[in-house]
């Protein structure tokens, strides 16, 4: 029973829903504010992502005609649940759940579920724009998953274990640097930020694959994206930043690294324009592939 | 009013997402919306976001002369916006037809006869400040639950509840029907 409580605590409170949602809103606000400041604007107030979420909760849900009601409403819930469960696995300081053997695999699997949900949401919606967005999302995930997966798997190879805590506790080495850079290469596309904002191109295809969503399901998709941002930045911090023996220092360090990575990615997003799908694909298979090879070579050498 | 619905009401004022609808405009009003999002006026300070799809919008900005062809599009897009919603009419054209009034392709009636308009922003074209003010006023109406679609909905809700009404003579019915016929 106590095991169950630990899992529920990790899923619901820390680092799960209750703490990750405000953190995600904070990070989203930070990104939007930074973009605005870089463009010479004032930017949104601090509570803006929270208000967006609350407003969407209070709106009506329109389900398009001919769309399966069950799957239409289930997709955002599955997406949110998967991304929260993935965050609960990450060994943040104070995370109550025990480390499982092979939880890296589980984490990587759970991180694919929100993308799958987005693709399905686009195809389910019966909107042509949504279907184009879903197609782009699906194809792009084939591209950026190469460096992303290799960065994590190389770390596991380097440590010799598929356990998150082993990855976290590994002594700092060259592999951390090379794999971290490979991870950063995949991060903008993973977050759907500007040079790779091909799936949510708001000028060509109006919105991303949740174009037909409105009200609470859209709010859950937005929340799921916010938590995904937290998950990606904190995953980078946990895996590639050397851990300290003091949990509080680690927590502050992870948060600082997360914000710094976010700032870096936002800077890139503000200063670039959108690529075409072919260009992004070529970029990830060429440079991402080369980075992946370098990362795997580094694990063999060091 | 519970605390949750109070927070939702405040959130409606703080995050009005807008959707543009050009109903046959000369593009003058639409081009005045663009500066709203630029550094000079920066509508994002008020939480305003421009969305391409009516499904995500709270406020529809309708600009331009109403033409015979755009009438159905206006109704379609208005219906797609999930409630609560507000309509802001931009410029003189939706009200009067402006210089295009009397043209054979132009619908010679105000936008109000097609969808319930909450805020009129006059001008040809209106200044960006005026548009921003119109959106802010519509957002305030959304918070108070006082947009015309919200009021109509709450009125419907009241009518749905069985209320002890004194027996009314049925004399008003033909008049009501005549009024309804006048509406499209």
């Amino acid at each position: 029973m106590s095991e169950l409580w630990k899992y529920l605590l990790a899923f619901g409170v820390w680092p799960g829903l209750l703490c990750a949602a405000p953190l995600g809103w904070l990070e989203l606000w930070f990104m939007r504010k930074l973009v605005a400041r870089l463009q010479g604007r004032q930017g949104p107030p601090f509570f803006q992502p929270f208000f967006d979420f609350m407003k969407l909760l209070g709106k009506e849900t329109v389900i398009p005609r001919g769309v399966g009601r069950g799957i239409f409403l289930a997709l955002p819930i599955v997406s949110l649940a998967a991304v929260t469960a993935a965050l609960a696995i990450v060994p943040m300081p104070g995370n109550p759940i025990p480390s499982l053997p092979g939880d890296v695999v589980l984490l990587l699997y759970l991180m694919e579920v929100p993308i799958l949900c987005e693709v399905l949401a686009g195809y389910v919606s019966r909107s042509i724009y949504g279907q184009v967005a879903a197609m782009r999302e699906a194809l792009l995930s084939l591209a950026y998953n190469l460096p992303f997966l290799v960065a994590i798997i190389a770390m596991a190879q380097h440590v010799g274990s598929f356990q998150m805590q082993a990855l976290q506790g590994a002594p700092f080495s060259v592999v951390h640097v090379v794999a971290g850079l490979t991870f950063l290469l995949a991060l903008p596309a993973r977050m759907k930020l500007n040079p790779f904002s091909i799936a949510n191109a708001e000028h060509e295809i109006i919105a991303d694959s949740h174009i037909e969503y409105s009200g609470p399901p859209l709010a859950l998709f937005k929340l799921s994206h916010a938590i995904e941002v937290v998950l990606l930045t904190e995953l980078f911090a946990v895996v590639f930043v050397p851990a300290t023996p003091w949990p509080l220092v680690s927590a502050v360090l992870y948060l600082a690294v997360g914000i710094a990575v976010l700032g870096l990615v936002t800077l890139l997003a503000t200063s670039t324009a959108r690529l075409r799908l072919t260009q992004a694909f070529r970029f990830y298979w060429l440079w991402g592939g080369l980075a992946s090879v370098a990362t795997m070579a580094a694990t063999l050498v060091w | 009013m519970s605390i949750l619905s109070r927070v939702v009401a405040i959130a409606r004022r703080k995050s009005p997402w807008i959707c543009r609808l050009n109903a046959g405009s000369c593009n003058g009003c639409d081009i005045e919306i663009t500066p709203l999002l630029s550094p000079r006026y920066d509508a994002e300070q008020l939480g305003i976001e421009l969305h391409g799809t009516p499904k995500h919008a709270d406020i529809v900005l309708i600009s331009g002369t109403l033409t015979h062809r755009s009438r159905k599009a206006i109704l379609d897009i208005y219906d797609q916006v999930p409630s609560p919603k507000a309509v802001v009419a931009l410029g003189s054209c939706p009200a009067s037809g402006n210089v295009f009034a009397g043209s054979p392709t132009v619908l010679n009636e105000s936008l109000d006869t097609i969808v319930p308009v909450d805020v009129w922003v006059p001008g040809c074209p209106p200044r960006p400040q005026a548009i921003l003010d119109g959106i802010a006023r519509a957002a305030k109406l959304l918070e108070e639950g006082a947009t015309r679609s919200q009021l109509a909905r709450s009125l419907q809700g009241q009518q749905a509840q069985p209320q002890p009404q004194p027996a009314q003579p049925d004399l008003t019915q033909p008049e009501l029907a005549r009024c309804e016929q006048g509406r499209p």
Side-chain angles (χ1 to χ4, degrees):
Chain A
M1 192 61 192
S2 69
E3 282 287 297
L4 182 66
W5 278 112
K6 276 181 183 171
Y7 282 107
L8 283 179
L9 202 66
F11 184 83
V13 183
W14 169 261
L17 219 49
L18 209 63
C19 292
L23 198 58
W25 289 327
L26 171 79
E27 297 203 336
L28 282 189
W29 169 79
F30 173 73
M31 280 162 78
R32 285 177 64 176
K33 186 79 178 174
L34 189 60
V35 168
R37 294 306 299 159
L38 288 168
Q39 290 175 345
R41 295 188 285 120
Q42 277 305 316
F46 182 71
F47 286 107
Q48 190 60 49
F50 169 72
F51 282 131
D52 286 351
F53 178 77
M54 289 312 288
K55 178 207 70 179
L56 285 174
L57 275 192
K59 271 182 89 79
E60 186 192 25
T61 307
V62 178
I63 299 181
R65 190 177 299 155
V67 171
R69 189 187 169 82
I71 189 163
F72 190 81
L73 296 178
L75 282 172
I77 298 172
V78 171
S79 171
L80 181 64
V83 81
T84 313
L87 190 64
I89 294 173
V90 177
M92 302 285 284
N95 189 348
I97 65 170
S99 186
L100 305 166
D103 53 3
V104 172
V105 181
L106 183 60
L107 178 81
L108 290 180
Y109 170 70
L110 283 173
M111 288 183 75
E112 290 305 309
V113 176
I115 297 163
L116 195 64
C117 284
E118 299 235 326
V119 172
L120 283 178
Y123 279 127
V124 150
S125 68
R126 293 183 75 232
S127 156
I128 290 176
Y129 296 107
Q131 286 170 1
V132 171
M135 181 271 291
R136 291 179 173 195
E137 176 79 47
L139 283 177
L140 197 61
S141 81
L142 289 182
Y144 64 68
N145 266 339
L146 175 70
F148 178 77
L149 292 178
V150 165
I152 303 287
I153 291 169
M155 284 304 295
Q157 160 77 16
H158 174 61
V159 177
S161 159
F162 265 117
Q163 211 163 354
M164 280 307 291
Q165 274 185 352
L167 260 62
Q168 188 186 19
F172 196 68
S173 70
V174 183
V175 182
H176 278 81
V177 180
V178 182
L181 288 175
T182 311
F183 188 92
L184 282 182
L185 200 65
L187 204 56
R190 197 77 222 199
M191 285 189 181
K192 296 203 269 295
L193 285 178
N194 208 356
F196 308 108
S197 65
I198 299 160
N200 52 351
E202 63 268 17
H203 309 108
E204 309 148 36
I205 49 172
I206 298 185
D208 40 5
S209 52
H210 1 97
I211 178 168
E212 290 294 326
Y213 277 82
S214 56
L218 181 65
L220 291 187
F221 263 132
K222 298 263 175 206
L223 183 63
S224 155
H225 182 244
I227 294 182
E228 202 179 0
V229 168
V230 174
L231 172 64
L232 287 165
T233 52
E234 294 311 307
L235 183 67
F236 175 82
V238 164
V239 176
F240 300 108
V241 172
T244 60
W246 308 281
L248 207 63
V249 177
S250 289
V252 173
L253 183 68
Y254 287 165
L255 200 66
V257 169
I259 296 281
V261 167
L262 215 57
L264 206 68
V265 172
T266 309
L267 195 65
L268 178 75
T270 323
S271 53
T272 50
R274 184 175 307 125
L275 294 176
R276 274 184 288 120
L277 188 58
T278 47
Q279 291 166 329
F281 217 89
R282 191 183 302 133
F283 173 82
Y284 273 122
W285 277 93
L286 184 63
W287 297 108
L290 286 178
S292 308
V293 170
T295 311
M296 288 316 280
T299 61
L300 297 178
V301 175
W302 283 283
Chain B
M1 189 185 269
S2 77
I3 188 153
L4 188 68
S5 55
R6 182 74 201 126
V7 170
V8 169
I10 292 173
R12 277 177 191 151
R13 172 165 53 86
K14 294 273 193 178
S15 114
W17 290 358
I18 59 174
C19 165
R20 275 188 324 107
L21 172 55
N22 180 336
S25 152
C26 68
N27 215 22
C29 296
D30 305 282
I31 225 157
E32 296 294 326
I33 297 173
T34 319
L36 285 188
L37 313 163
S38 70
R40 192 171 186 106
Y41 299 104
D42 187 24
E44 206 180 6
Q45 289 178 75
L46 302 180
I48 297 171
E49 273 183 41
L50 182 67
H51 281 253
T53 159
K55 292 275 168 70
H56 295 187
D58 303 298
I59 298 174
V60 199
L61 303 181
I62 301 181
S63 61
T65 323
L66 311 167
T67 64
H68 287 288
R69 297 184 68 159
S70 65
R71 188 174 173 282
K72 187 162 183 317
I74 294 171
L75 278 171
D76 271 359
I77 288 183
Y78 179 77
D79 283 343
Q80 281 185 44
V81 179
S83 57
K85 55 190 164 188
V87 175
V88 176
L90 287 189
S92 308
C93 290
S96 64
N98 210 358
V99 293
F100 305 104
S103 162
T105 53
V106 162
L107 213 58
N108 281 307
E109 51 189 59
S110 107
L111 178 62
D112 217 15
T113 58
I114 304 176
V115 290
V117 178
D118 294 299
V119 179
W120 298 91
V121 181
C124 182
R127 295 179 64 98
Q129 297 99 313
I131 301 176
L132 203 54
D133 178 58
I135 296 170
R137 275 192 288 157
K140 186 86 179 123
L141 288 177
L142 278 172
E143 181 197 12
E144 291 160 357
T147 66
R148 286 178 55 195
S149 62
Q150 279 170 311
L151 287 177
R153 189 167 271 240
S154 66
L155 211 61
Q156 272 176 2
Q158 278 172 9
Q159 278 172 355
Q161 288 164 6
Q163 282 180 345
Q165 290 279 333
Q168 295 266 335
D170 213 13
L171 292 172
T172 54
Q173 286 306 320
E175 272 144 13
L176 266 180
R178 216 177 302 137
C179 290
E180 290 294 330
Q181 275 169 7
R183 294 180 63 83

